[in-house]
Each structure stands twice: as structure tokens, then as C-alpha cells.
Amino acid sequence: MEPETQARAGSGAAISVRALQVAYSGTRVLHGLDLDFAPGSFTALLGSSGCGKTTLLRSLSGFVPVESGSIVVGGKDVAGLPPEKRGMAMVFQSYALWPHMTVLQNIGYGLKLRGKSRAEIAAKVGEMLNFLGLSGYENRKVTALSGGQRQRVALGRALAIDPGILLLDEPLSNLDAKIRLTMRHEIRAIQQRLGLTAVHVTHDREEAMTMADRLVIMQAGRIAQVGTPEEVYDRPASAFVANFMGAENVLPLQVERAEGKAAVTAGGARATLEAEAAAALPTGEALAYFRDDVASLDALDAPAGSGDLIVPGTIAARAYPGGIYRYKVEAAGRQITVDDVGRHELGTKVGLRIPLQRLHIFPASEAGIAA
Amino acid sequence: MTSYAMTRVASGIRMLLAAFALAAFAFFLIGPLLNLVLWSVAERWYTPYKLPVTFGTRYWEQVFRPTGDAMASLATSVWIAVLTVIVALALSIPAGYALARLKLPVRSLFMILFLLPQAFPSVAIYINVARVFYQIGINGTVFAVVLVHAAHGLVYSVWIAAAAFAAVDKDLELAARNIGASPLKTFTSVTLPLAAPGIVASGIFVFLESLDEFTGTFFVGVPQVTTLPLLLYNAAQGGNYQVASITALILLVPSVLFMLFIERFLRADVLAKVGS
């Protein structure tokens, strides 16, 4: 996905952020960020609330003053420039459409500022509305539109000025679920078609993964990991990222090394890993993070096989979300969520089959924060 | 007695009470107005008669005669009110915007500054103002009266303007800046139009306050400047209740129009932000 967009970079501009620090009334929110945005790329800034993702977007757009560091767009540092001189267009979470103007006036505002004639504005707005599937809506009041339509008008207003950079501040969070899914694809398609550099702030993991070619996971004003959706999902760089990306089961492990092999023990179960796989493991106390679909239920005395742990446990709770059963299993002093097709009674002693290859393992000392 | 009959009696009593309350309300609201109207068309009215002895429009004609005092002072009043609105808005638009967007400590200081004139007895203030105006030689001019009215009106207009600006979502301004508008352009094309109903309301309020103002005008305007309230005062002092009533009725008209405007145009969320 990424090389393709890189190759057909259209009007998109490159952004390069260096040692960016931002503070609100004395409290530092961003602690020296370095980040590059390739022309035509779609980057999602992802993190829980208060991690600084919105602040980063707002300092890119110039709404938040920068304490130190630089934001270079097209070879020029814009960190000290007012918002109107940055050539970035933003779509707001609240849409921020002007209620005293019609659809035409909203979308045409930026064109009017640029001294375009009325005929040019009307033509461009018509084209934009056509593009957004809102033909003929020119003279509607924006207050008379539905949420999805407002969203499109807001997008049209941003795109009408042919920006090199499109900033998206949780633009989908006020829409209902069905329209949100359609808008994801529409925004992505438009970004691809125009070759824009897009920066999208969201707290919705799935939204970020489906829309972006690159994720930036933020944590407490710092960058926790940058990578493609696959990289971040399959190879999280830290316990925080693993947990944030949905690996919410935590299993304490002991790793011992001997002759290039590693012996892993957890809650009375033991498995050995050969040289290559073992090299990646930390030594000593560790925590393993994994998703609900990784572990499976098995008999207590099932053969471990190679690279699997069979951890003894007891079924503590059961739910039926549809298709499969979801169990909470008490094992190794933790509650672990496991999906399984079979129906088992509460209190049943089971063996939790956990394939070591699919665990994200971090030293306990580092992982402590997210455990 | 059946329970049916009892409910009927109860509901009858309730109806009676409601009617009585309504009548009392109407009396207190409309009674004084009716009295004014009656006096304005009474050519002769003396005790022991409950109603005027002779009805007629002689005093109305007298008031509305082009050469009459009333028309001249009405013109003076309106002229002063218009100038006062201009001065007050010229100050309260920037001040209100600053108040709406400033951080808290400075904000309350500002607020106190504008509210301070209301904290003291107005007569004491106006005597001092009159003294100062006399010294600098502007006593008895329309300019002096406008200054006094504007100082009085600012208390309200700044407050209302601040509320109107605070009700404008900051994102709406940022959206304009974001696609290329300068701060000034943003203000004139987004912020001001959105705050306009509140600003207009504050202007009308200042206009009415100015039209009604008596004390300040009395101290800095008399005898050269005669406004409608001063004329009313003189007429009432001279025992001419007819002219006084007609003047009072004229003064009522703009107030009623203002009520209608507020009811029609001012959004509840702006009103809710007044004083917050």
C-alpha cells in the first residue's frame, strides 16, 4: 500500500517535525517529537486521550504555539507562522461549519479569500459538491444538513483550496456507526485520488488501521512506535503498544537460558524454545501480552508440542457474543480471555494452550506500566 | 353530595381563583397604562369625577405640533441615543471580544472596571462629573450628555457583547484562519456576524437606557439640553399630567419593540452566557 502512494505523489507536501516541544500554561504536553510525513502519505496519530495527538495536530496547523523545535513544510520552517500562512486544511471534529452561511458560502470561503470571481467559485464548489455526492446543495443552510452531509461539506471546504496537507481531527467520531464506515473509505479514496499528505488523529484503532498507511502510536507526549498497521499490530515495540493494539491478556513468565536455548515457565507450565526464537526473548521475569484469539482451551494433560505452553486454569466466566463462546480463565494468578467454539461449564479445570510464537514478550521491569 | 358534584365545585373554585389571579395581573400590568392613556385624552378631569369630564386630543395635538417642545426634545433624545449607541458599541465590541477570549484573572478585573460605576449612588457620581465637565467647559452640550449616557450604557453593553462573543465556538474562528483568513478578516466575516444578534440587542439596550436616562442628563445637560424625560419631569412638576402622560407613552414604544426583538431574535444560549 505504501510504495504505491509514494510513487504517485500528487499535490501532497512533505512535513518534517524536529524536536517539537509544546506546553500548555507551563505543563509540557509534547516532549521533543521527531516525525516525518512523506508526500501523499496517510498517517494516523493514535493514542488514548491526553497522549498529545490532538496537540500535535493543532501545533501543525498553528492553533497551538510551539515552545521549541521546527515544523518544516516544503523546505520552510512554519513553526512560527500563523495558521493562515501554513497551507494546511483541517477538518474539525465539530465540523466547524459557519451556521450563518450556505453550503456554497462555506465551501467557497477559501476561494473568495484568494480573490476568485463568483463564477469561478460557483464552478469549483459545484465540482466539489459533485465529487462529494452533494450536487445541488449549494444554497442549503448548513444547519439543515445531516451529520454525514455536514462532514462532507467540511471536507469540501478543506479540499476546495487545493491544500497540500489535509489534517483530520477525529472527523468521524460524531457520526453514527454505518456512515462512519462509508466515510472511512471515502476519505481514504479522496486522499489517494488527490495525492494529499493526510494526518489523521483518532482514538479508534480500527479506523486508524483501515485508513492509514502508517500509524504513529503516542503515549504521554512521546512517540511509542511508528510503523505500518501490520508492523504495529504484529510486532509492537513496547508493552504499551501491545496493550493499546488489543493484546490485553497478560501472562507473567520466567525465561531461563541455557546453551542457546530458552526455557519458559508460566503458572506451572514449561516450554523450550530453540536458538533462533529464543534469541528474541528477554531473560528473567517477563510479561507476555496476547489477544483473545491466541490462546485456546485444551485438556489439562494435553501434550505440549513444540513451542506451546499448557497452563492449567479454571473457567471463571462465560459469555456468548455469537458464533463462539468467550471464557474468562483463571490461570497463573491472572484472568485470561479465551475464545472457544465448545461449551464448557464454569469451574471446569482446563489447560490453556498458548503458542509462544504469538506472544508479545517484554521484560517485567519495562512492561510494568501497562500491566 | 356525590363525589362528581364535589369535583365540579372544586374545579369551579379553581377556575374562579385563576380568573381572579389573571384579573389582578392584568390590573397591575395594564392599569397604570390605562391610566396614562386616559390622562392623555382628558381635556378636563377633576374630583369628584371618576372619569374625565371632557375627552379630546388637544394635548396630543399640542405635543405633536411641529413647533412644540415635545417634538424638539424627542428629536434631541433620539439624536443623543443614536450617538450613545455608536460610542458604546465602538467600545463594547472590542472590549466584549477581549473579555470573551481572555484568560480569567484579567477578565474579572475588566468586568469590575466596567461594573464599578453601578456600585455607587449615581447622584454622587453625576455631581462630580458635572463639576469636571463644567471646568473643561463641556457642560450643557450634547457631547457631555452622550458621554454620561455611554458610560452608563457600557456597563450593560460590554457585558452582553462579551456573552455574545463567548457563545461563538472558537473552532469556527480557527476554521477560517486555517483556510487563509487573517485575524481581522476572521473577525469581520465569522465572529461578528455570529455575535450580531447579541450586539444588536446590546445596542438597543443602550438606546433605551439613553432614551430613559434622567439623572445624568439633569446634571450635565440642563438647561441647554432638554430630553424627553426632562420634559416629562417639567410637565409633571407643572401639574400638566396630560403632556406627562403622552411623553410617558412615547417613551414606552421603543421598550415594547425591544421586547419583541429579544423574543424573536436572541438565542437562549447567548442569554445564558450573560454574566458568566
Side-chain angles (χ1 to χ4, degrees), chain A residues 77-371:
Chain A
D77 185 6
V78 300
L81 293 181
E84 62 268 26
K85 303 231 166 83
R86 295 197 179 193
M88 304 183 189
M90 179 138 143
V91 179
F92 293 76
Q93 183 175 13
S94 60
Y95 316 142
L97 296 174
W98 302 300
H100 61 302
M101 298 185 193
T102 61
V103 170
L104 173 74
Q105 288 167 324
N106 266 282
I107 298 181
Y109 185 88
L111 300 169
K112 204 173 155 195
L113 285 175
R114 284 157 181 76
K116 296 278 192 291
S117 73
R118 282 177 70 170
E120 282 176 289
I121 295 174
K124 176 86 186 183
V125 172
E127 184 190 315
M128 194 55 78
L129 286 177
N130 200 17
F131 185 57
L132 296 164
L134 286 175
S135 303
Y137 276 66
E138 277 91 343
N139 295 316
R140 298 278 184 100
K141 275 271 185 196
V142 292
T143 45
L145 301 180
S146 72
Q149 290 170 334
R150 287 181 199 204
Q151 180 57 260
R152 288 193 180 114
V153 173
L155 193 59
R157 181 178 65 183
L159 296 176
I161 60 168
D162 291 324
I165 295 159
L166 183 64
L167 305 178
L168 302 155
D169 181 13
E170 305 207 26
L172 305 180
S173 58
N174 285 340
L175 297 174
D176 60 50
K178 205 174 159 196
I179 300 172
R180 200 182 312 157
L181 290 182
T182 340
M183 286 304 291
R184 276 183 195 171
H185 294 294
E186 280 187 28
I187 292 178
R188 172 69 180 169
I190 289 168
Q191 181 267 339
Q192 294 274 286
R193 179 130 54 118
L194 302 177
L196 298 172
T197 308
V199 184
H200 181 173
V201 160
T202 180
H203 59 259
D204 183 332
R205 192 176 74 221
E206 197 187 308
E207 184 180 301
M209 305 244 332
T210 51
M211 289 174 79
D213 354 276
R214 190 177 64 147
L215 304 187
V216 175
I217 314 289
M218 293 188 62
Q219 178 194 7
R222 292 192 169 81
I223 292 171
Q225 191 173 358
V226 180
T228 63
E230 292 87 345
E231 281 167 2
V232 174
Y233 193 83
D234 294 332
R235 293 188 294 284
S238 68
F240 173 82
V241 177
N243 197 329
F244 190 81
M245 295 308 288
E248 282 164 4
N249 291 309
V250 185
L251 186 69
L253 299 177
Q254 273 283 353
V255 184
E256 285 151 26
R257 287 175 189 285
E259 302 150 20
K261 293 182 180 180
V264 179
T265 48
R270 187 179 175 88
T272 330
L273 278 178
E274 296 301 322
E276 230 175 293
L281 292 181
T283 312
E285 298 280 337
L287 288 173
Y289 291 78
F290 57 98
R291 297 188 178 81
D292 297 352
D293 61 350
V294 167
S296 53
L297 295 183
D298 211 330
L300 253 178
D301 53 357
S306 66
D308 283 2
L309 280 171
I310 304 283
V311 183
T314 315
I315 293 177
R318 181 185 63 219
Y320 185 68
I324 40 98
Y325 289 93
R326 184 156 295 159
Y327 296 97
K328 292 254 184 245
V329 178
E330 298 264 12
R334 301 274 180 156
Q335 282 225 335
I336 290 172
T337 310
V338 185
D339 289 347
D340 193 80
V341 285
R343 186 188 163 97
H344 306 276
E345 292 311 315
L346 299 190
T348 312
K349 301 268 184 235
V350 292
L352 266 183
R353 177 178 290 276
I354 303 173
L356 283 173
Q357 286 300 339
R358 295 187 61 194
L359 301 183
H360 307 302
I361 301 172
F362 302 97
S365 51
E366 280 174 40
I369 30 158

Side-chain angles (χ1 to χ4, degrees), chain A residues 58 63 82-84 88-90 92 94 96-101 109-110 113-114 157 161, chain B residues 103 169 171-183 185-186 189-191 193-194:
Chain A
R58 292 201 159 223
F63 300 160
E84 62 268 26
M88 304 183 189
M90 179 138 143
F92 293 76
S94 60
L97 296 174
W98 302 300
H100 61 302
M101 298 185 193
Y109 185 88
L113 285 175
R114 284 157 181 76
R157 181 178 65 183
I161 60 168
Chain B
K103 300 230 173 341
D169 184 1
D171 275 357
L172 295 177
E173 294 178 344
L174 291 179
R177 295 288 303 279
N178 178 247
I179 56 173
S182 66
K185 180 71 190 167
T186 303
S189 65
V190 173
T191 320
L194 287 173

